[in-house]
Amino acid sequence: MADSSSSSSGNDAAAVDENSVSTFVSSLVFNLVVAAVIFIAFCILRPRFKRVYAPRTYAVSTEKRSTPVSSKPLAWLSAIFRVRDEDIIARVGLDTYMFLRLMRTMFVIFLVLSILSLITILPANLTGDGNATGLSRLTMGNVKADSNNLWVHIVFFMVFVAWVMHTIFGELKVYTRLRIWWLTNPTHASKVGASTVLVSTLPTPLIENEGKLSSMFDMFPGGVRQVIVNRNCSKLEKIVSERNDFVGKLEKALTTYAVKCEKAHAKSVKKGVAYVAPKQPMTRASNVPFKGPKLDAFEFYSTQIASRNQSICEMSGDKEQYKRQSSAFVLFRKQLAAHMAAQTVLDYKPFSMSSVSLDINPDDIIWSNLNMNPYDRRIRGYISLAATIGLVIVWTILTAALVSLVSIENLKKIPALSDMSDSKWFGLFSGIVPAVLLAVLMALLPMILRLLLRLEGTTRVSEVNLRLLHRFYFFQVWNIYLVTIFSTALLTILTETASNPAKILELIPTEVPKSATPILVYVLLLAFTGAAKEILQISRLVLRYVLPLLFAKTPRAIVNAEKPAEFDWGVSIPVHSLIFLMGFSYSFISPLVNCFVAAYFGLFYLVYRYQFLYVYNDANWVTGGLSFPKAIQQIMVGVYISEVYILLMMVAKLVAADGVNANGILRVIFTGLTLLLTIFAHSYINDAYLPIINYLP
């Protein structure tokens, strides 16, 4: 009976391994084919649709334009690599340059990691004398608990952690030097916003007395040039909005009428008859359809615009009619004074004047959040945090349910599908559909998180995006990495150890490596199909070319349609940091993961280099590269998780071995030592670099 049971479990394991190979191969072929088709489509469409694929060659200021690329299909590849780093900073800014540098650094890390892991880790796994089959034979799960091959994994991992930390140090040195250069560069330093601070949560005496507020900041070098207390101008804003609506309607009516006149004139010339002007457009004063008499549209819209302009002039004349708000802009004569003010404790009262923002851009301000009580802001922050935790729970249930529903094992439980065979088509289904569903779910999340961050009282759009970087990253680490990808391994471990918890450490070395297949599938989807979709921009092709042809009826609408797209910083960087985490945490377990993560960063670096030089225009995202140190912190999270993994694996191997041995204890000590040294190195980074990143020394 025992023999039949073991035979059955062995057959089940073999079937699972066969399914993992089928899933991996199906996903690889599918993603390669889709990526090839999309890249070919891009090479064909690029010269024909410059509005989508090359707006930065004409739709930005002259000094920031990129040189047009010839119409040859692959000419764009050579064009993007002819641009020097200095020119990239000049054209697209320091934020973009540091992001591209980050992608290039991670590509180099995983390229070297891939080559060396295939030379060292892969042979150690294959000769580990384990009983694994299929893709599991290529992982650490095929190495016996008492095998000396485990030292290969430890030495390899320790060397690469040291190299990654050394690389991080080097990149932070480059960034801090460039950051100081950017802050002191005349192009930036001469801007009014560079020497201006936004002070929030002002106490009532300072709100009512601008002179007192000015004298308070006069202690800083150069003194204060001007103080502007913000006011509630919602009534004026409403009038301006109404005026702009009427301007849009007048432009549309004039353009439509001009087109009709041109067509009528052309028709009269063609037929040789006298030209008869079309009837002028009519409208109604009421917003209710068919209510009120018809009026001449040109006269009505012009009258309404003139009336609103007069009201705007009258309302703008007396600022005292608008209520003061608890925030103010302080304009200094020297940039250094603004940086000193931002680092100073301005009031002894709790939360009073506690928020001071630098490098002010009016288009970046969230004006509705400038009059928020500090305690109200705190309460909103707690509510937002609680809502985020609730979202984590809801998304965990949704992702786990969707991924489990489309697995082959669960589909077989449906009576109509119970007799289906494990064909290649079902391997393709289980390899593609869960990853696609996961990507769709995660695409909806940032909109909700952004709304929560705005409701907290965040005063700037750039600050919302910078905070979104971390919140979205940790959301992905939990929902995609820990819950979705490890759900199968965790479920197996919990099921097997329900009656015997002591078996947990015995199952970790065999079950955790099996999660390499879901990681490979997810990376494959993003590396090939994701990079290809990014460069093809199919949604923007529709929104920016097809829809404007149908709805852009005025010169203003046509100009707006020509504006280049903007890059989503708050969402994109966490995705790449997650891929780094996936790759690095499995670098010593499954060498295949390294190869595809290297392909991921290599392809995206190539794609982003083109996109930022020819497509994206982030004129309102000017932070001086502040997203870079946040990305470094996310990389450190990936390093820590990887070190915890290898430590648990070594502890589990020690327990699973026949008796405690010195080799096993030494392996645990070395992995624990790696974790401790990383903590010290991270502490050094925080002490040495973080204080000089935000402010002028």
Side-chain angles (χ1 to χ4, degrees):
M1 187 75 176
D3 292 341
S4 63
S5 175
S6 62
S7 174
S8 174
S9 62
N11 291 335
D12 291 342
V16 171
D17 288 330
E18 186 179 345
N19 281 337
S20 68
V21 174
S22 173
T23 297
F24 169 69
V25 173
S26 301
S27 299
L28 177 61
V29 173
F30 175 81
N31 285 290
L32 282 174
V33 171
V34 171
V37 171
I38 293 177
F39 270 111
I40 292 172
F42 166 74
C43 291
I44 295 172
L45 295 174
R46 181 189 61 79
R48 294 169 172 80
F49 299 96
K50 289 187 177 181
R51 178 184 293 175
V52 177
Y53 299 117
R56 287 189 61 90
T57 59
Y58 67 92
V60 296
S61 57
T62 306
E63 66 275 8
K64 293 185 177 296
R65 290 181 185 177
S66 293
T67 306
V69 183
S70 71
S71 59
K72 293 180 181 179
L74 299 179
W76 61 279
L77 286 170
S78 59
I80 60 176
F81 286 109
R82 284 198 299 266
V83 184
R84 299 176 304 167
D85 287 354
E86 296 83 358
D87 295 330
I88 291 177
I89 297 176
R91 288 187 197 175
V92 295
L94 184 59
D95 293 276
T96 297
Y97 172 73
M98 292 310 304
F99 175 69
L100 291 175
R101 190 179 178 94
L102 178 71
M103 298 297 291
R104 183 176 64 192
T105 300
M106 291 196 280
F107 167 64
V108 172
I109 287 174
F110 279 98
L111 180 63
V112 177
L113 200 61
S114 301
I115 296 171
L116 295 185
S117 64
L118 291 176
I119 297 173
T120 58
I121 300 293
L122 187 59
N125 290 342
L126 289 172
T127 59
D129 299 326
N131 299 319
T133 59
L135 287 179
S136 297
R137 190 164 178 265
L138 307 178
T139 68
M140 194 178 178
N142 193 47
V143 182
K144 283 189 174 181
D146 56 355
S147 175
N148 285 326
N149 288 8
L150 291 173
W151 280 108
V152 177
H153 298 79
I154 292 174
V155 173
F156 172 86
F157 185 73
M158 291 181 69
V159 169
F160 261 92
V161 167
W163 184 53
V164 168
M165 296 305 297
H166 179 267
T167 303
I168 289 175
F169 287 144
E171 291 301 307
L172 282 173
K173 285 181 181 178
V174 172
Y175 169 66
T176 51
R177 187 171 66 251
L178 287 174
R179 169 77 177 168
I180 298 301
W181 168 84
W182 179 81
L183 286 172
T184 57
N185 187 283
T187 304
H188 172 75
S190 60
K191 295 179 180 177
V192 174
S195 55
T196 301
V197 296
L198 168 62
V199 186
S200 302
T201 62
L202 290 172
T204 303
L206 293 182
I207 296 174
E208 301 298 333
N209 192 336
E210 293 183 10
K212 187 175 181 180
L213 183 62
S214 178
S215 62
M216 176 182 178
F217 285 98
D218 253 335
M219 68 179 73
F220 296 107
V224 174
R225 181 190 305 172
Q226 187 180 4
V227 171
I228 303 172
V229 175
N230 293 306
R231 297 173 181 269
N232 185 357
C233 300
S234 55
K235 294 180 180 179
L236 178 60
E237 185 180 359
K238 181 181 178 182
I239 299 296
V240 172
S241 177
E242 291 176 357
R243 189 270 309 272
N244 292 341
D245 287 341
F246 283 117
V247 168
K249 291 177 180 179
L250 179 60
E251 288 179 353
K252 185 177 180 180
L254 285 169
T255 305
T256 303
Y257 184 68
V259 171
K260 287 182 179 180
C261 290
E262 194 277 332
K263 289 181 178 179
H265 181 267
K267 188 175 181 180
S268 64
V269 171
K270 183 177 180 180
K271 292 185 176 181
V273 297
Y275 166 71
V276 178
K279 291 183 179 180
Q280 290 191 3
M282 307 294 286
T283 188
R284 299 177 191 271
S286 174
N287 291 324
V288 180
F290 309 110
K291 181 180 180 180
K294 287 186 176 183
L295 305 171
D296 181 274
F298 296 154
E299 183 178 349
F300 175 73
Y301 293 145
S302 299
T303 302
Q304 295 299 319
I305 292 171
S307 173
R308 299 306 188 279
N309 282 336
Q310 184 177 354
S311 299
I312 291 170
C313 290
E314 293 172 355
M315 297 176 71
S316 302
D318 181 17
K319 66 178 182 179
E320 294 302 327
Q321 62 181 304
Y322 303 111
K323 185 179 179 181
R324 294 169 180 255
Q325 295 184 318
S326 60
S327 61
F329 294 105
V330 181
L331 285 69
F332 293 93
R333 291 188 175 88
K334 292 185 177 181
Q335 183 186 15
L336 181 62
H339 284 255
M340 292 178 67
Q343 301 175 72
T344 304
V345 177
L346 298 173
D347 200 351
Y348 66 90
K349 296 179 181 177
F351 310 130
S352 177
M353 304 175 71
S354 58
S355 176
V356 181
S357 303
L358 277 169
D359 296 316
I360 303 303
N361 177 6
D363 294 329
D364 189 41
I365 301 296
I366 303 176
W367 298 96
S368 57
N369 286 346
L370 294 184
N371 193 39
M372 196 170 292
N373 182 284
Y375 295 97
D376 186 22
R377 184 175 274 116
R378 286 273 172 170
I379 293 172
R380 286 177 177 232
Y382 296 140
I383 294 174
S384 173
L385 180 61
T388 302
I389 295 172
L391 280 174
V392 170
I393 297 172
V394 171
W395 245 254
T396 299
I397 297 171
L398 284 176
T399 52
L402 284 175
V403 172
S404 62
L405 279 174
V406 297
S407 66
I408 291 178
E409 290 75 13
N410 289 326
L411 288 175
K412 283 183 177 180
K413 297 176 183 178
I414 302 174
L417 304 175
S418 59
D419 296 330
M420 71 181 185
S421 61
D422 294 331
S423 65
K424 293 180 179 179
W425 291 108
F426 286 109
L428 177 65
F429 180 85
S430 63
I432 303 302
V433 174
V436 171
L437 288 175
L438 196 58
V440 171
L441 269 179
M442 298 312 292
L444 298 174
L445 182 64
M447 295 184 288
I448 303 174
L449 293 178
R450 274 199 179 95
L451 177 62
L452 289 175
L453 289 170
R454 279 178 172 264
L455 292 176
E456 283 185 27
T458 309
T459 56
R460 296 193 296 173
V461 176
S462 58
E463 187 181 346
V464 168
N465 283 321
L466 288 172
R467 294 180 62 192
L468 180 64
L469 286 175
H470 281 337
R471 193 166 291 196
F472 188 51
Y473 174 67
F474 287 108
F475 207 108
Q476 288 194 111
V477 170
W478 173 257
N479 274 280
I480 294 181
Y481 186 64
L482 296 177
V483 174
T484 306
I485 290 177
F486 282 107
S487 58
T488 304
L490 290 174
L491 184 61
T492 302
I493 292 172
L494 292 174
T495 303
E496 295 289 334
T497 59
S499 57
N500 185 12
K503 290 181 63 180
I504 290 179
L505 290 176
E506 296 179 18
L507 291 173
I508 287 176
T510 56
E511 294 300 325
V512 171
K514 292 179 181 178
S515 299
T517 301
I519 285 179
L520 279 171
V521 169
Y522 190 77
V523 173
L524 280 172
L525 176 70
L526 294 183
F528 296 106
T529 307
K533 284 170 58 183
E534 169 65 27
I535 200 168
L536 183 62
Q537 302 279 312
I538 188 63
S539 59
R540 290 194 178 98
L541 181 63
V542 175
L543 294 175
R544 292 177 47 74
Y545 202 91
V546 178
L547 292 183
L549 291 176
L550 300 175
F551 300 105
K553 302 299 184 182
T554 67
R556 190 190 303 270
I558 293 172
V559 169
N560 289 334
E562 295 286 342
K563 289 181 179 178
E566 294 184 0
F567 182 64
D568 197 343
W569 295 88
V571 173
S572 299
I573 292 178
V575 172
H576 303 311
S577 299
L578 177 68
I579 299 299
F580 177 91
L581 165 60
M582 288 180 173
F584 203 73
S585 62
Y586 267 73
S587 60
F588 62 94
I589 295 176
S590 177
L592 276 182
V593 174
N594 299 327
C595 301
F596 290 106
V597 173
Y600 172 91
F601 285 116
L603 286 172
F604 267 99
Y605 174 67
L606 188 72
V607 167
Y608 280 138
R609 198 171 173 96
Y610 177 84
Q611 295 292 81
F612 280 110
L613 286 172
Y614 288 94
V615 179
Y616 291 131
N617 181 36
D618 292 290
N620 293 329
W621 177 265
V622 184
T623 68
L626 288 179
S627 58
F628 181 77
K630 290 186 176 293
I632 292 296
Q633 296 293 344
Q634 293 173 1
I635 288 175
M636 289 303 305
V637 171
V639 173
Y640 282 132
I641 291 177
S642 305
E643 291 172 340
V644 171
Y645 274 0
I646 195 169
L647 179 60
L648 288 175
M649 293 289 284
M650 291 303 115
V651 171
K653 291 284 187 183
L654 177 64
V655 174
D658 296 331
V660 177
N661 56 81
N663 252 342
I665 294 174
L666 280 175
R667 287 194 290 265
V668 172
I669 291 174
F670 272 93
T671 51
L673 184 62
T674 305
L675 178 59
L676 287 175
L677 290 175
T678 303
I679 293 173
F680 289 135
H682 191 195
S683 176
Y684 173 79
I685 288 174
N686 290 338
D687 293 339
Y689 292 105
L690 292 188
I692 59 176
I693 282 176
N694 292 312
Y695 308 110
L696 282 172

